[in-house]
Amino acid sequence: MGAGSACATYGEPIVKILVIGSGGREHALCWKFLKSPRVSAVYCAPGNAGTATIAQNVPIAVDDLAGLVDFAAREKIDLTFVGPEAPLCAGIVDLFESKGLAVFGPNASAARLEGSKVFTKDILLRYGIPTAQAGSFTVAAEAKAFSASLGYPQVVKADGLAAGKGVIIAPDALTAESAIEDILDKKVFGAACGAVVVEEFLEGEEASLHLLVSGSDYAVLPSSQDHKRIGNGDTGPNTGGMGAYSPAPVLDAAAVKTAEETIVKPLLAAFEKEGIHYKGILYGGLMVGPKGIQVLEFNCRFGDPETQVLMPQLDNDLVDLCEAVIGGSLGSVQVKLAAGAAACVVMAAGGYPGDYAKGTPIAGDLGDQPDSMVFHAGTTMAGEQLVTAGGRVLGVTAWGADIRAAIDAAYRRVGGVSFSGAQFRTDIAARALSR
Ligand code: AMP
Ligand code: GLY
């Protein structure tokens, strides 16, 4: 792949990759890129102790856009893959493209799909794409009047990026009103608080659908399901995601087909009408329930931990897929999948998602196995010792003939890893197994 956002030479042999981010998602992406015979080097900025074992970590923060573009230009990086949403929403793709550097992800205008819930809700409602009925407001009194006209529970959402904290499920009027005040008057989520979305509560089972998108072309990746609550049986506070499995039976082939017809195609047509050129990953958070398949949210990047279960199933060369998205040839690409399933159990620090300790030593077998891989999330090295450095510490991932084989293998590997205070759910994939 040559420099330049048009990604000139499809299939060119040797490429240097930069992956931006530091979580389990980025470890899984580095791991997958390194399976490509076309890759000569993978850098990860800033990475973690896991990415350091397979790639070269670069100490540049994800919000240091100027530092990242300088590095990519200086090192002649052929392809930069942006993991998290914040740099995408801040315009990293626009910046790289302005320098003629190939970069995977949507530009800032397209990334509003994740960066602004008001923007997305407006598109969904205007184009008749199934989603919760909602209103968007900048004035608290107006939001409260609308809120009072909806039933309970209802959902109050800060407009912008709020690190997963800006969504409040309100069981009653008091909670809804105080959430509206917190967002619009007290600005408790900072810059995310310019506006609020108040919407009806949707019943059903959540699932994730990831797509590669390049303008009007798209390719569907296997469905998956995340486990957002900290506790077994979906109890306790929300987290970044405590585990995942794929494919998700709730989003089987027929349901995916329905989602393509009722959500994906109308959305891409809406983009075209709105003058938005979307390229990158489109990750739909969907509710499958009595009202059919409805959109909860869109993200403009890969899910974490969903990436950890998607990468082992993907048989394509990831460089080829990225090139096809960037170069506009996605329509001629066939996504190839390994048969079977994959599952990931997140091991988190004690106390997470509240306060938690860092620097706790990690022991056990973290090595690469033919049917499993321990992806690092919040880890670092303290001298020679691997220690915890975040809330979600490890994503213990395995794959097999079916979900049962994959999840059993993942829990076997969890049994061989330990750190003081470690917590993990023991019911990952239970919904799939109970069907
Ligand atoms: P979001 O960031 O919009 O996906 O919201 C985060 C989480 O809140 C989702 O994964 C759901 O679990 C929950 N949620 C958001 N909107 C709704 C809704 N309208 N009805 C039910 N649950 C919701
Ligand atoms: N797995 C949830 C997320 O990546 O947003």
Side-chain angles (χ1 to χ4, degrees):
M1 187 187 304
S5 56
C7 257
T9 328
Y10 185 77
E12 196 176 300
I14 301 299
V15 295
K16 285 166 87 175
I17 308 279
L18 170 63
V19 173
I20 295 175
S22 62
R25 168 180 54 209
E26 285 74 23
H27 191 185
L29 288 166
C30 290
W31 175 80
K32 181 65 184 163
F33 272 124
L34 282 158
K35 294 199 173 302
S36 165
R38 301 182 49 206
V39 167
S40 66
V42 176
Y43 298 85
C44 191
N48 58 39
T51 60
T53 63
I54 58 172
Q56 200 171 314
N57 281 358
V58 183
I60 307 175
V62 301
D63 60 358
D64 181 2
L65 305 196
L68 290 165
V69 81
D70 280 353
F71 174 82
R74 199 170 59 244
E75 289 297 327
K76 301 193 167 32
I77 298 293
D78 299 291
L79 170 67
T80 296
F81 193 108
V82 187
E85 63 277 16
L88 291 168
C89 293
I92 193 167
V93 167
D94 310 69
L95 180 63
F96 270 62
E97 287 179 345
S98 74
K99 308 277 183 196
L101 292 164
V103 58
F104 184 94
N107 61 22
S109 169
R112 283 181 295 168
L113 203 62
E114 176 162 4
S116 169
K117 292 186 188 294
V118 170
F119 170 83
T120 299
K121 194 53 96 169
D122 173 61
I123 290 206
L124 293 175
L125 292 177
R126 270 195 298 120
Y127 288 89
I129 297 169
T131 188
Q133 287 310 305
S136 301
F137 306 92
T138 53
V139 177
E142 290 170 15
K144 286 180 190 173
F146 179 79
S147 161
S149 74
L150 280 182
Y152 300 97
Q154 60 181 237
V155 188
V156 179
K157 303 182 177 186
D159 177 43
L161 297 181
K165 297 201 173 82
V167 174
I168 298 100
I169 313 280
D172 49 46
L174 207 63
T175 317
E177 289 194 1
S178 99
I180 290 167
E181 285 166 20
D182 281 351
I183 293 167
L184 287 182
D185 297 338
K186 298 184 193 150
K187 311 281 183 201
V188 296
F189 307 116
C193 292
V196 74
V197 174
V198 181
E199 70 180 35
E200 66 171 320
F201 180 84
L202 299 179
E203 305 280 353
E205 188 174 337
E206 282 183 65
S208 306
L209 187 63
H210 287 76
L211 305 127
L212 296 159
V213 174
S214 182
S216 55
D217 292 327
Y218 68 90
V220 183
L221 298 177
S223 65
S224 56
Q225 192 168 53
D226 186 9
H227 298 60
K228 288 194 170 139
R229 306 291 197 94
I230 187 75
N232 282 348
D234 295 328
T235 54
N238 259 325
T239 69
M242 291 299 292
Y245 64 91
S246 170
V250 66
L251 219 51
D252 61 11
V256 168
K257 200 82 216 133
T258 303
E260 286 182 59
E261 296 304 324
T262 60
I263 296 170
V264 178
K265 288 181 184 171
L267 180 73
L268 299 189
F271 282 168
E272 202 169 336
K273 284 221 176 84
E274 301 286 322
I276 295 167
H277 184 74
Y278 197 100
K279 62 180 171 52
I281 296 295
L282 178 67
Y283 155 12
L286 306 179
M287 188 66 94
V288 186
K291 292 184 177 168
I293 305 176
Q294 291 173 288
V295 177
L296 283 173
E297 63 166 347
F298 281 116
N299 298 307
C300 62
R301 36 91 198 167
F302 267 123
D304 186 349
E306 288 96 327
T307 310
Q308 290 85 312
V309 293
L310 292 177
M311 289 304 119
Q313 294 186 85
L314 198 58
D315 262 352
N316 300 72
D317 185 318
L318 189 54
V319 182
D320 290 349
L321 291 182
C322 292
E323 274 181 346
V325 167
I326 297 171
S329 58
L330 185 60
S332 59
V333 165
Q334 190 78 39
V335 170
K336 290 179 274 177
L337 300 174
C344 170
V345 178
V346 169
M347 298 182 77
Y352 174 79
D355 291 340
Y356 54 84
K358 292 185 184 173
T360 309
I362 301 168
D365 173 17
L366 307 186
D368 207 347
Q369 303 274 343
D371 70 341
S372 60
M373 176 77 198
V374 178
F375 292 117
H376 291 225
T379 65
T380 191
M381 296 303 290
E384 296 291 295
Q385 176 64 52
L386 179 70
V387 298
T388 67
R392 292 190 292 172
V393 177
L394 300 168
V396 182
T397 305
W399 44 95
D402 53 24
I403 297 277
R404 167 57 73 193
I407 193 64
D408 285 352
Y411 277 119
R412 265 198 305 279
R413 296 252 10 220
V414 168
V417 179
S418 63
F419 55 91
S420 173
Q423 51 169 343
F424 56 88
R425 281 180 61 160
T426 57
D427 67 345
I428 301 304
R431 279 179 192 271
L433 296 174
S434 68
R435 275 174 174 262

